[in-house]
Amino acid sequence: DQQVKQNSPSLSVQEGRISILNCDYTNSMFDYFLWYKKYPAEGPTFLISISSIKDKNEDGRFTVFLNKSAKHLSLHIVPSQPGDSAVYFCAASVISKAAGNKLTFGGGTRVLVKP
Amino acid sequence: KAGVTQTPRYLIKTRGQQVTLSCSPISGHRSVSWYQQTPGQGLQFLFEYFSETQRNKGNFPGRFSGRQFSNSRSEMNVSTLELGDSALYLCATGGGNTGELFFGEGSRLTVL
């Protein structure tokens, strides 16, 4: 049962343009949604998160939008830069003592930003 | 402050062997989680330890086990290795109010 899904395995975008990454989830109990960026042979690094009670969070070039009714979130990167080329993972968490610190990840979207 | 440190970074084993991976969390962090990354399955949760106790467990066979020491360092062990165990094993600490985790660089295991 894949609770978090990223339906686009890859995305190619021109430098300076907008990158839009999408993520769908099924578990309405998720409290937080996070985006991670990963380069090969490295661990994921945290990018940005959003609480389930908000619909938008912005941090520099990165903005995450949450549509709870559609169980959908997206990450916008504007403007895209060649250094943004990486695999992006969407993740979700349930904040509770029982759930601990478990993150449920999507399958990832490989982004290529062309100069 | 120092990040999450994982050792070894790379290792090669043969089928049937066992392997132990180590993780030192960020100083002061008491929770340690382990994840497996494979091309086909993405990032999957293995287990989490908090104050030397397993707090949560993913859907992996009993060949995968772990433990945490009093200094919060953690080890995971995989016994009777199979080819499908070839993966990047990631350790993470953090959590708190948002669930944000800080990951180590991982241990790349190749099973031949």
Side-chain angles (χ1 to χ4, degrees):
Chain A
D1 171 30
Q2 216 174 342
Q3 297 187 58
V4 178
K5 267 190 180 178
Q6 293 173 255
N7 289 317
S8 298
S10 63
L11 171 70
S12 183
V13 65
Q14 209 65 36
E15 181 180 4
R17 306 296 292 267
I18 184 171
S19 294
I20 300 177
L21 292 80
N22 294 301
C23 179
D24 297 297
Y25 63 96
T26 57
N27 187 348
S28 56
M29 299 300 291
F30 287 136
D31 296 299
Y32 269 88
F33 302 90
L34 307 92
W35 285 94
Y36 281 81
K37 175 180 177 179
K38 188 180 183 303
Y39 295 115
E42 291 184 13
T45 54
F46 171 76
L47 269 179
I48 191 170
S49 65
I50 187 168
S51 162
S52 61
I53 62 172
K54 298 195 172 183
D55 54 19
K56 178 182 174 182
N57 187 26
E58 194 172 348
D59 184 1
R61 297 187 298 116
F62 303 93
T63 303
V64 57
F65 296 92
L66 175 63
N67 183 335
K68 265 189 90 170
S69 60
K71 292 192 174 69
H72 177 84
L73 65 153
S74 61
L75 174 68
H76 293 207
I77 307 173
V78 184
S80 300
Q81 299 173 354
D84 296 331
S85 297
V87 178
Y88 290 78
F89 289 96
C90 168
S93 67
V94 175
I95 306 297
S96 74
K97 260 194 168 178
N101 292 325
K102 176 184 173 182
L103 287 180
T104 302
F105 284 89
T109 297
R110 182 176 303 277
V111 173
L112 175 63
V113 180
K114 298 178 184 174
Chain B
K1 55 183 175 185
V4 180
T5 305
Q6 291 189 245
T7 56
R9 290 291 316 278
Y10 302 92
L11 65 167
I12 299 173
K13 294 283 187 178
T14 55
R15 276 183 300 174
Q17 286 188 310
Q18 67 93 27
V19 67
T20 299
L21 309 176
S22 179
C23 171
S24 293
I26 294 170
S27 178
H29 285 205
R30 293 160 62 191
S31 162
V32 174
S33 304
W34 288 90
Y35 289 79
Q36 180 197 63
Q37 187 190 13
T38 57
Q41 299 295 322
L43 274 155
Q44 291 192 293
F45 173 76
L46 279 156
F47 30 64
E48 182 203 0
Y49 287 86
F50 182 85
S51 293
E52 302 177 64
T53 302
Q54 188 180 86
R55 181 157 71 171
N56 210 339
K57 189 177 188 307
N59 192 24
F60 278 81
R63 299 185 298 107
F64 292 81
S65 63
R67 59 178 175 167
Q68 187 179 31
F69 302 95
S70 58
N71 61 357
S72 293
R73 190 177 71 85
S74 175
E75 288 181 349
M76 69 162 280
N77 184 278
V78 188
S79 62
T80 321
L81 284 166
E82 301 176 359
L83 295 179
D85 297 333
S86 294
L88 181 67
Y89 289 88
L90 293 158
C91 170
T93 65
N97 294 332
T98 66
E100 177 187 343
L101 294 180
F102 301 94
F103 284 84
E105 294 190 307
S107 293
R108 168 73 63 185
L109 169 66
T110 301
V111 182
L112 302 175

